[in-house]
Amino acid sequence: MELKGFIRSDGKIGIRNLYLLIGVCDAVEGILKHISTPFEDVIFVTSEHGCPAAGNEQVVNNLAGLADNPNIAGVVMISMGCEGVRPETVREKMTSHKPVSILKVTEIGGSTRTIRKAQEIIKDMKDQNASLKREPFDVSQLVVGLKCGGSDTTSGIAGNPSVGSAMDRFIDMSGTAIFTEPIECIGGEEALIRRAVNEKVAQDIKHTLAREEKRWTIPGVELEFMCIGNVAGGLTTIEEKSLGAIHKSGSRKIAGVLEYSEKMIEKPGQPGMYLQDGTMLHSHCITHLAAAGCQMLIFITGNGAPVGSRMMPTITVCGNPLSYEKLKDDMDINAGQIITGAKTVEQVGEIILNKIFSVANGEQPKTEGISYSGFSIYRRDPRLECLLFGKKS
């Protein structure tokens, strides 16, 4: 299937034409809501971490990464004018060259004037892009994020393996995919290490998973990785959950571990399958994958949790045939057909691969437009990092 997308000035490909409002602090959230109201293609994010003047590197990196996402055609940043996180700093961290405007409420003269001015800017951006048409692009320019949640026993038997089958074919075509949730790889480390493309990547995988396990298993602080839905769905141990979760990455070589730290949000340098050193938390994970450059998200579920992203059109794959029937309006792919014997893992994988290409070309998955559009980031506490590892990560 020929792929067609919107070519940006830096050569990246957008599969959607969206405009992003960034509020560097949550004090401007109401203003952003009013700015976006007249537009269907404008999304906004605000940061609750904007005021402190120090320790905000991860905030800045994530905001800049979202602004860089290829699905974003233009950016307007809004601030009160006194925050520690400065919009100019976010713009400096950006690597793309798309239109970016900065408005400060205290300089413009209040909320109403800011709303009016921002809407004028967005209209101008949209006018400049009015002639933009989809053009052919190579599959090597498509980056897909992978996330599972609401997992049950069908996730490791049907949902994740079928996505893994699709990913094997996608990677063979020179596509790029990123999976994350390193804490949910615990117990399956050796399976991932064996797939490393070289010894350095093998050591990076081992190091990343060991550090994440240490963060979550501090003596005297009991934390549970299994949620109520996992247990109710038949999962019994973190190892069982991990081995099921790993299936979504397929069986091809792992090209690298992408750094997520106060230093950077690393993006893939070449096609292949990558592990991101991120988190398992839904909204945080979505933010980090979008900031790493994913144009699309595949979400795999067993109990039918409808999790998605407005910035990245989300294909929802359901491994449980009963959940699929209950939530047909939210589920895109019925991997539960593997459970009933109607289809094989490979057949459902082929359906998923075709869906990836059709969504890249503009087809809307079922939850597009009603999915998560906020800003949540996984901030590692530098004090804990220093106590655990002797220095900041």
Side-chain angles (χ1 to χ4, degrees):
M1 180 184 291
E2 184 180 46
L3 296 176
K4 290 187 176 182
F6 304 102
I7 301 176
R8 307 301 181 201
S9 59
D10 59 358
K12 295 289 193 305
I13 303 296
I15 63 172
R16 295 294 185 269
N17 240 356
L18 300 171
Y19 298 84
L20 179 65
L21 293 168
I22 293 178
V24 296
C25 74
D26 51 10
V28 297
E29 181 171 339
I31 294 173
L32 269 60
K33 284 182 179 178
H34 280 81
I35 294 170
S36 65
T37 297
F39 308 102
E40 292 185 358
D41 51 0
V42 173
I43 59 179
F44 69 87
V45 299
T46 61
S47 168
E48 64 190 70
H49 311 289
C51 288
N56 280 318
E57 293 85 359
Q58 286 175 313
V59 178
V60 171
N61 290 340
N62 275 278
L63 290 174
L66 295 183
D68 277 330
N69 189 284
N71 289 340
I72 301 300
V75 182
V76 180
M77 299 187 197
I78 309 291
S79 78
M80 282 294 179
C82 58
E83 298 88 350
V85 175
R86 300 173 61 250
E88 292 85 357
T89 305
V90 176
R91 183 171 58 185
E92 289 168 5
K93 281 281 185 177
M94 290 177 61
T95 58
S96 58
H97 303 291
K98 63 191 65 175
V100 177
S101 291
I102 293 174
L103 300 177
K104 297 182 180 180
V105 178
T106 53
E107 292 181 4
I108 289 179
S111 302
T112 302
R113 292 182 181 180
T114 302
I115 293 167
R116 189 182 306 121
K117 179 63 176 176
Q119 289 176 339
E120 290 172 358
I121 290 171
I122 291 170
K123 288 176 183 176
D124 287 342
M125 288 180 178
K126 289 168 66 68
D127 288 343
Q128 293 172 19
N129 287 327
S131 61
L132 194 62
K133 305 294 182 184
R134 287 183 177 269
E135 299 181 49
F137 73 92
D138 190 78
V139 68
S140 62
Q141 295 174 284
L142 186 59
V143 185
V144 175
L146 306 175
K147 173 77 177 82
C148 58
S151 300
D152 63 12
T153 53
T154 70
S155 297
I157 298 171
N160 287 329
S162 61
V163 170
S165 175
M167 287 300 101
D168 283 349
R169 286 177 248 192
F170 183 60
I171 298 303
D172 289 346
M173 294 175 178
S174 297
T176 302
I178 304 173
F179 71 109
T180 181
E181 307 173 279
I183 192 60
E184 295 192 356
C185 296
I186 302 303
E189 296 93 337
E190 291 304 318
L192 290 179
I193 291 170
R194 284 195 298 269
R195 289 169 52 198
V197 70
N198 55 42
E199 181 59 27
K200 179 185 182 303
V201 174
Q203 291 303 314
D204 287 345
I205 294 171
K206 184 177 180 180
H207 176 74
T208 297
L209 299 188
R211 288 170 68 91
E212 188 70 353
E213 184 176 20
K214 190 172 183 179
R215 292 184 182 104
W216 287 84
T217 54
I218 298 171
V221 181
E222 300 302 323
L223 296 171
E224 182 54 71
F225 309 132
M226 302 276 283
C227 72
I228 293 173
N230 296 152
V231 176
L235 295 176
T236 59
T237 65
I238 185 61
E239 289 80 8
E240 182 183 4
K241 184 179 180 182
S242 294
L243 290 171
I246 288 170
H247 272 309
K248 66 179 176 285
S249 67
S251 63
R252 298 301 184 256
K253 292 292 185 181
I254 296 175
V257 177
L258 302 177
E259 181 176 349
Y260 174 83
S261 70
E262 78 280 355
K263 299 175 184 176
M264 70 167 75
I265 297 178
E266 190 175 4
K267 301 174 183 178
Q270 59 187 7
M273 178 62 68
Y274 291 83
L275 170 64
Q276 185 187 58
D277 181 18
T279 179
M280 77 291 191
L281 302 170
H282 286 164
S283 56
H284 304 69
C285 188
I286 287 172
T287 299
H288 304 156
L289 288 171
C294 294
Q295 299 118 309
M296 183 189 304
L297 179 69
I298 298 179
F299 181 75
I300 311 101
T301 185
N303 68 17
V307 173
S309 166
R310 283 200 65 196
M311 186 173 293
M312 303 174 290
T314 303
I315 298 170
T316 307
V317 177
C318 185
N320 190 317
L322 298 178
S323 298
Y324 180 85
E325 288 301 321
K326 288 179 183 177
L327 294 155
K328 278 185 177 179
D329 291 343
D330 290 333
M331 305 292 108
D332 295 293
I333 305 292
N334 182 10
Q337 293 177 95
I338 298 166
I339 302 295
T340 63
K343 292 190 183 298
T344 65
V345 168
E346 290 72 24
Q347 287 172 331
V348 177
E350 184 69 24
I351 293 170
I352 294 169
L353 185 64
N354 289 332
K355 178 65 77 170
I356 289 171
F357 294 149
S358 61
V359 168
N361 282 336
E363 178 188 321
Q364 289 198 340
K366 291 182 179 178
T367 60
E368 186 162 358
I370 59 173
S371 299
Y372 180 76
S373 61
F375 179 77
S376 297
I377 63 168
Y378 177 41
R379 297 185 74 196
R380 296 190 178 114
D381 191 320
R383 297 165 296 183
L384 177 59
E385 294 290 291
C386 186
L387 288 171
L388 289 176
F389 307 116
K391 62 179 180 179
K392 291 176 70 176
S393 63

